[in-house]
mmCIF file with all atom_site columns, all heavy atoms in Angstrom:
data_model
loop_
_atom_site.group_PDB
_atom_site.id
_atom_site.type_symbol
_atom_site.label_atom_id
_atom_site.label_alt_id
_atom_site.label_comp_id
_atom_site.label_asym_id
_atom_site.label_entity_id
_atom_site.label_seq_id
_atom_site.pdbx_PDB_ins_code
_atom_site.Cartn_x
_atom_site.Cartn_y
_atom_site.Cartn_z
_atom_site.occupancy
_atom_site.B_iso_or_equiv
_atom_site.pdbx_formal_charge
_atom_site.auth_seq_id
_atom_site.auth_comp_id
_atom_site.auth_asym_id
_atom_site.auth_atom_id
_atom_site.pdbx_PDB_model_num
ATOM 1   N N   . LYS A 1 107 ? 137.788 -1.430 112.690 1.00 96.00 ? 724 LYS A N   1
ATOM 2   C CA  . LYS A 1 107 ? 138.498 -2.632 112.404 1.00 96.00 ? 724 LYS A CA  1
ATOM 3   C C   . LYS A 1 107 ? 139.822 -2.443 111.852 1.00 96.00 ? 724 LYS A C   1
ATOM 4   O O   . LYS A 1 107 ? 140.895 -3.027 112.318 1.00 96.00 ? 724 LYS A O   1
ATOM 5   C CB  . LYS A 1 107 ? 137.645 -3.528 111.401 1.00 96.00 ? 724 LYS A CB  1
ATOM 6   C CG  . LYS A 1 107 ? 138.290 -4.872 111.039 1.00 96.00 ? 724 LYS A CG  1
ATOM 7   C CD  . LYS A 1 107 ? 137.295 -5.591 110.103 1.00 96.00 ? 724 LYS A CD  1
ATOM 8   C CE  . LYS A 1 107 ? 137.801 -7.009 109.710 1.00 96.00 ? 724 LYS A CE  1
ATOM 9   N NZ  . LYS A 1 107 ? 138.904 -6.943 108.805 1.00 96.00 ? 724 LYS A NZ  1
ATOM 10  N N   . LEU A 1 108 ? 139.984 -1.555 110.885 1.00 97.00 ? 725 LEU A N   1
ATOM 11  C CA  . LEU A 1 108 ? 141.282 -1.255 110.310 1.00 97.00 ? 725 LEU A CA  1
ATOM 12  C C   . LEU A 1 108 ? 142.265 -0.575 111.280 1.00 97.00 ? 725 LEU A C   1
ATOM 13  O O   . LEU A 1 108 ? 143.397 -0.972 111.301 1.00 97.00 ? 725 LEU A O   1
ATOM 14  C CB  . LEU A 1 108 ? 141.160 -0.294 109.067 1.00 97.00 ? 725 LEU A CB  1
ATOM 15  C CG  . LEU A 1 108 ? 140.346 -0.938 107.918 1.00 97.00 ? 725 LEU A CG  1
ATOM 16  C CD1 . LEU A 1 108 ? 140.119 0.136  106.809 1.00 97.00 ? 725 LEU A CD1 1
ATOM 17  C CD2 . LEU A 1 108 ? 141.049 -2.148 107.360 1.00 97.00 ? 725 LEU A CD2 1
ATOM 18  N N   . LEU A 1 109 ? 141.761 0.304  112.097 1.00 97.00 ? 726 LEU A N   1
ATOM 19  C CA  . LEU A 1 109 ? 142.660 1.003  113.073 1.00 97.00 ? 726 LEU A CA  1
ATOM 20  C C   . LEU A 1 109 ? 143.121 0.008  114.098 1.00 97.00 ? 726 LEU A C   1
ATOM 21  O O   . LEU A 1 109 ? 144.237 0.089  114.636 1.00 97.00 ? 726 LEU A O   1
ATOM 22  C CB  . LEU A 1 109 ? 141.899 2.154  113.709 1.00 97.00 ? 726 LEU A CB  1
ATOM 23  C CG  . LEU A 1 109 ? 141.732 3.369  112.824 1.00 97.00 ? 726 LEU A CG  1
ATOM 24  C CD1 . LEU A 1 109 ? 140.717 4.374  113.399 1.00 97.00 ? 726 LEU A CD1 1
ATOM 25  C CD2 . LEU A 1 109 ? 143.100 4.117  112.562 1.00 97.00 ? 726 LEU A CD2 1
ATOM 26  N N   . ALA A 1 110 ? 142.211 -0.966 114.505 1.00 97.00 ? 727 ALA A N   1
ATOM 27  C CA  . ALA A 1 110 ? 142.573 -1.909 115.466 1.00 97.00 ? 727 ALA A CA  1
ATOM 28  C C   . ALA A 1 110 ? 143.568 -2.956 114.992 1.00 97.00 ? 727 ALA A C   1
ATOM 29  O O   . ALA A 1 110 ? 144.524 -3.353 115.715 1.00 97.00 ? 727 ALA A O   1
ATOM 30  C CB  . ALA A 1 110 ? 141.370 -2.655 116.074 1.00 97.00 ? 727 ALA A CB  1
ATOM 31  N N   . GLU A 1 111 ? 143.428 -3.396 113.753 1.00 97.00 ? 728 GLU A N   1
ATOM 32  C CA  . GLU A 1 111 ? 144.207 -4.459 113.175 1.00 97.00 ? 728 GLU A CA  1
ATOM 33  C C   . GLU A 1 111 ? 145.544 -3.924 112.586 1.00 97.00 ? 728 GLU A C   1
ATOM 34  O O   . GLU A 1 111 ? 146.452 -4.709 112.365 1.00 97.00 ? 728 GLU A O   1
ATOM 35  C CB  . GLU A 1 111 ? 143.438 -5.183 112.164 1.00 97.00 ? 728 GLU A CB  1
ATOM 36  C CG  . GLU A 1 111 ? 142.275 -5.971 112.688 1.00 97.00 ? 728 GLU A CG  1
ATOM 37  C CD  . GLU A 1 111 ? 141.462 -6.749 111.684 1.00 97.00 ? 728 GLU A CD  1
ATOM 38  O OE1 . GLU A 1 111 ? 141.909 -6.680 110.490 1.00 97.00 ? 728 GLU A OE1 1
ATOM 39  O OE2 . GLU A 1 111 ? 140.496 -7.373 112.045 1.00 97.00 ? 728 GLU A OE2 1
ATOM 40  N N   . TYR A 1 112 ? 145.641 -2.626 112.325 1.00 98.00 ? 729 TYR A N   1
ATOM 41  C CA  . TYR A 1 112 ? 146.838 -2.035 111.811 1.00 98.00 ? 729 TYR A CA  1
ATOM 42  C C   . TYR A 1 112 ? 147.254 -0.819 112.684 1.00 98.00 ? 729 TYR A C   1
ATOM 43  O O   . TYR A 1 112 ? 147.135 0.285  112.311 1.00 98.00 ? 729 TYR A O   1
ATOM 44  C CB  . TYR A 1 112 ? 146.571 -1.593 110.346 1.00 98.00 ? 729 TYR A CB  1
ATOM 45  C CG  . TYR A 1 112 ? 146.323 -2.765 109.385 1.00 98.00 ? 729 TYR A CG  1
ATOM 46  C CD1 . TYR A 1 112 ? 145.099 -3.280 109.259 1.00 98.00 ? 729 TYR A CD1 1
ATOM 47  C CD2 . TYR A 1 112 ? 147.471 -3.333 108.713 1.00 98.00 ? 729 TYR A CD2 1
ATOM 48  C CE1 . TYR A 1 112 ? 144.912 -4.392 108.474 1.00 98.00 ? 729 TYR A CE1 1
ATOM 49  C CE2 . TYR A 1 112 ? 147.241 -4.482 107.869 1.00 98.00 ? 729 TYR A CE2 1
ATOM 50  C CZ  . TYR A 1 112 ? 145.964 -4.971 107.739 1.00 98.00 ? 729 TYR A CZ  1
ATOM 51  O OH  . TYR A 1 112 ? 145.766 -6.023 106.942 1.00 98.00 ? 729 TYR A OH  1
ATOM 52  N N   . PRO A 1 113 ? 147.835 -1.197 113.849 1.00 98.00 ? 730 PRO A N   1
ATOM 53  C CA  . PRO A 1 113 ? 148.184 -0.097 114.747 1.00 98.00 ? 730 PRO A CA  1
ATOM 54  C C   . PRO A 1 113 ? 149.238 0.855  114.173 1.00 98.00 ? 730 PRO A C   1
ATOM 55  O O   . PRO A 1 113 ? 149.359 2.059  114.584 1.00 98.00 ? 730 PRO A O   1
ATOM 56  C CB  . PRO A 1 113 ? 148.742 -0.873 115.991 1.00 98.00 ? 730 PRO A CB  1
ATOM 57  C CG  . PRO A 1 113 ? 149.142 -2.236 115.463 1.00 98.00 ? 730 PRO A CG  1
ATOM 58  C CD  . PRO A 1 113 ? 148.125 -2.472 114.375 1.00 98.00 ? 730 PRO A CD  1
ATOM 59  N N   . ALA A 1 114 ? 150.043 0.379  113.240 1.00 98.00 ? 731 ALA A N   1
ATOM 60  C CA  . ALA A 1 114 ? 151.038 1.273  112.641 1.00 98.00 ? 731 ALA A CA  1
ATOM 61  C C   . ALA A 1 114 ? 150.355 2.345  111.825 1.00 98.00 ? 731 ALA A C   1
ATOM 62  O O   . ALA A 1 114 ? 150.840 3.507  111.684 1.00 98.00 ? 731 ALA A O   1
ATOM 63  C CB  . ALA A 1 114 ? 152.028 0.496  111.767 1.00 98.00 ? 731 ALA A CB  1
ATOM 64  N N   . CYS A 1 115 ? 149.225 1.981  111.196 1.00 98.00 ? 732 CYS A N   1
ATOM 65  C CA  . CYS A 1 115 ? 148.378 3.002  110.511 1.00 98.00 ? 732 CYS A CA  1
ATOM 66  C C   . CYS A 1 115 ? 147.806 3.990  111.450 1.00 98.00 ? 732 CYS A C   1
ATOM 67  O O   . CYS A 1 115 ? 147.887 5.220  111.206 1.00 98.00 ? 732 CYS A O   1
ATOM 68  C CB  . CYS A 1 115 ? 147.253 2.193  109.726 1.00 98.00 ? 732 CYS A CB  1
ATOM 69  S SG  . CYS A 1 115 ? 145.985 3.292  109.039 1.00 98.00 ? 732 CYS A SG  1
ATOM 70  N N   . ALA A 1 116 ? 147.326 3.530  112.589 1.00 98.00 ? 733 ALA A N   1
ATOM 71  C CA  . ALA A 1 116 ? 146.703 4.451  113.570 1.00 98.00 ? 733 ALA A CA  1
ATOM 72  C C   . ALA A 1 116 ? 147.779 5.402  114.086 1.00 98.00 ? 733 ALA A C   1
ATOM 73  O O   . ALA A 1 116 ? 147.428 6.553  114.364 1.00 98.00 ? 733 ALA A O   1
ATOM 74  C CB  . ALA A 1 116 ? 146.109 3.631  114.692 1.00 98.00 ? 733 ALA A CB  1
ATOM 75  N N   . GLU A 1 117 ? 149.017 4.938  114.256 1.00 98.00 ? 734 GLU A N   1
ATOM 76  C CA  . GLU A 1 117 ? 150.059 5.804  114.707 1.00 98.00 ? 734 GLU A CA  1
ATOM 77  C C   . GLU A 1 117 ? 150.565 6.704  113.659 1.00 98.00 ? 734 GLU A C   1
ATOM 78  O O   . GLU A 1 117 ? 150.947 7.900  113.963 1.00 98.00 ? 734 GLU A O   1
ATOM 79  C CB  . GLU A 1 117 ? 151.238 4.870  115.195 1.00 98.00 ? 734 GLU A CB  1
ATOM 80  C CG  . GLU A 1 117 ? 152.376 5.659  115.920 1.00 98.00 ? 734 GLU A CG  1
ATOM 81  C CD  . GLU A 1 117 ? 153.367 6.178  114.905 1.00 98.00 ? 734 GLU A CD  1
ATOM 82  O OE1 . GLU A 1 117 ? 153.587 5.542  113.879 1.00 98.00 ? 734 GLU A OE1 1
ATOM 83  O OE2 . GLU A 1 117 ? 153.891 7.321  115.169 1.00 98.00 ? 734 GLU A OE2 1
ATOM 84  N N   . ALA A 1 118 ? 150.614 6.338  112.363 1.00 98.00 ? 735 ALA A N   1
ATOM 85  C CA  . ALA A 1 118 ? 151.191 7.177  111.301 1.00 98.00 ? 735 ALA A CA  1
ATOM 86  C C   . ALA A 1 118 ? 150.336 8.287  110.912 1.00 98.00 ? 735 ALA A C   1
ATOM 87  O O   . ALA A 1 118 ? 150.796 9.382  110.533 1.00 98.00 ? 735 ALA A O   1
ATOM 88  C CB  . ALA A 1 118 ? 151.460 6.304  110.124 1.00 98.00 ? 735 ALA A CB  1
ATOM 89  N N   . LEU A 1 119 ? 149.024 8.239  111.069 1.00 98.00 ? 736 LEU A N   1
ATOM 90  C CA  . LEU A 1 119 ? 148.072 9.230  110.708 1.00 98.00 ? 736 LEU A CA  1
ATOM 91  C C   . LEU A 1 119 ? 148.071 10.388 111.772 1.00 98.00 ? 736 LEU A C   1
ATOM 92  O O   . LEU A 1 119 ? 148.379 10.087 112.957 1.00 98.00 ? 736 LEU A O   1
ATOM 93  C CB  . LEU A 1 119 ? 146.638 8.679  110.570 1.00 98.00 ? 736 LEU A CB  1
ATOM 94  C CG  . LEU A 1 119 ? 146.456 7.756  109.349 1.00 98.00 ? 736 LEU A CG  1
ATOM 95  C CD1 . LEU A 1 119 ? 145.081 7.031  109.523 1.00 98.00 ? 736 LEU A CD1 1
ATOM 96  C CD2 . LEU A 1 119 ? 146.516 8.501  108.066 1.00 98.00 ? 736 LEU A CD2 1
ATOM 97  N N   . ASP A 1 120 ? 147.789 11.585 111.296 1.00 98.00 ? 737 ASP A N   1
ATOM 98  C CA  . ASP A 1 120 ? 147.750 12.714 112.182 1.00 98.00 ? 737 ASP A CA  1
ATOM 99  C C   . ASP A 1 120 ? 146.338 13.022 112.687 1.00 98.00 ? 737 ASP A C   1
ATOM 100 O O   . ASP A 1 120 ? 146.124 13.817 113.619 1.00 98.00 ? 737 ASP A O   1
ATOM 101 C CB  . ASP A 1 120 ? 148.381 13.903 111.513 1.00 98.00 ? 737 ASP A CB  1
ATOM 102 C CG  . ASP A 1 120 ? 149.866 13.755 111.236 1.00 98.00 ? 737 ASP A CG  1
ATOM 103 O OD1 . ASP A 1 120 ? 150.642 13.806 112.270 1.00 98.00 ? 737 ASP A OD1 1
ATOM 104 O OD2 . ASP A 1 120 ? 150.219 13.417 110.125 1.00 98.00 ? 737 ASP A OD2 1
ATOM 105 N N   . LYS A 1 121 ? 145.339 12.606 111.992 1.00 98.00 ? 738 LYS A N   1
ATOM 106 C CA  . LYS A 1 121 ? 143.958 12.779 112.356 1.00 98.00 ? 738 LYS A CA  1
ATOM 107 C C   . LYS A 1 121 ? 143.144 11.664 111.722 1.00 98.00 ? 738 LYS A C   1
ATOM 108 O O   . LYS A 1 121 ? 143.431 11.162 110.633 1.00 98.00 ? 738 LYS A O   1
ATOM 109 C CB  . LYS A 1 121 ? 143.456 14.142 111.912 1.00 98.00 ? 738 LYS A CB  1
ATOM 110 C CG  . LYS A 1 121 ? 142.100 14.569 112.348 1.00 98.00 ? 738 LYS A CG  1
ATOM 111 C CD  . LYS A 1 121 ? 141.696 15.972 111.989 1.00 98.00 ? 738 LYS A CD  1
ATOM 112 C CE  . LYS A 1 121 ? 141.341 16.059 110.496 1.00 98.00 ? 738 LYS A CE  1
ATOM 113 N NZ  . LYS A 1 121 ? 140.908 17.405 110.083 1.00 98.00 ? 738 LYS A NZ  1
ATOM 114 N N   . TYR A 1 122 ? 142.032 11.336 112.366 1.00 98.00 ? 739 TYR A N   1
ATOM 115 C CA  . TYR A 1 122 ? 141.031 10.405 111.698 1.00 98.00 ? 739 TYR A CA  1
ATOM 116 C C   . TYR A 1 122 ? 139.730 11.122 111.368 1.00 98.00 ? 739 TYR A C   1
ATOM 117 O O   . TYR A 1 122 ? 139.260 11.913 112.187 1.00 98.00 ? 739 TYR A O   1
ATOM 118 C CB  . TYR A 1 122 ? 140.663 9.265  112.723 1.00 98.00 ? 739 TYR A CB  1
ATOM 119 C CG  . TYR A 1 122 ? 141.813 8.608  113.462 1.00 98.00 ? 739 TYR A CG  1
ATOM 120 C CD1 . TYR A 1 122 ? 141.704 7.974  114.703 1.00 98.00 ? 739 TYR A CD1 1
ATOM 121 C CD2 . TYR A 1 122 ? 143.126 8.567  112.865 1.00 98.00 ? 739 TYR A CD2 1
ATOM 122 C CE1 . TYR A 1 122 ? 142.689 7.321  115.264 1.00 98.00 ? 739 TYR A CE1 1
ATOM 123 C CE2 . TYR A 1 122 ? 144.211 7.924  113.541 1.00 98.00 ? 739 TYR A CE2 1
ATOM 124 C CZ  . TYR A 1 122 ? 143.982 7.350  114.770 1.00 98.00 ? 739 TYR A CZ  1
ATOM 125 O OH  . TYR A 1 122 ? 144.969 6.724  115.427 1.00 98.00 ? 739 TYR A OH  1
ATOM 126 N N   . ARG A 1 123 ? 139.234 10.839 110.250 1.00 96.00 ? 740 ARG A N   1
ATOM 127 C CA  . ARG A 1 123 ? 137.945 11.415 109.911 1.00 96.00 ? 740 ARG A CA  1
ATOM 128 C C   . ARG A 1 123 ? 136.821 10.341 110.020 1.00 96.00 ? 740 ARG A C   1
ATOM 129 O O   . ARG A 1 123 ? 136.917 9.279  109.398 1.00 96.00 ? 740 ARG A O   1
ATOM 130 C CB  . ARG A 1 123 ? 137.939 11.904 108.388 1.00 96.00 ? 740 ARG A CB  1
ATOM 131 C CG  . ARG A 1 123 ? 136.727 12.792 108.048 1.00 96.00 ? 740 ARG A CG  1
ATOM 132 C CD  . ARG A 1 123 ? 135.616 11.926 107.452 1.00 96.00 ? 740 ARG A CD  1
ATOM 133 N NE  . ARG A 1 123 ? 134.458 12.753 107.079 1.00 96.00 ? 740 ARG A NE  1
ATOM 134 C CZ  . ARG A 1 123 ? 133.674 12.454 106.126 1.00 96.00 ? 740 ARG A CZ  1
ATOM 135 N NH1 . ARG A 1 123 ? 133.752 11.368 105.461 1.00 96.00 ? 740 ARG A NH1 1
ATOM 136 N NH2 . ARG A 1 123 ? 132.624 13.227 105.886 1.00 96.00 ? 740 ARG A NH2 1
#
Side-chain angles (χ1 to χ4, degrees):
K724 180 176 182 289
L725 295 175
L726 286 167
E728 295 180 359
Y729 292 87
C732 169
E734 185 275 328
L736 293 168
D737 294 284
K738 185 177 76 174
Y739 311 154
R740 190 269 181 151

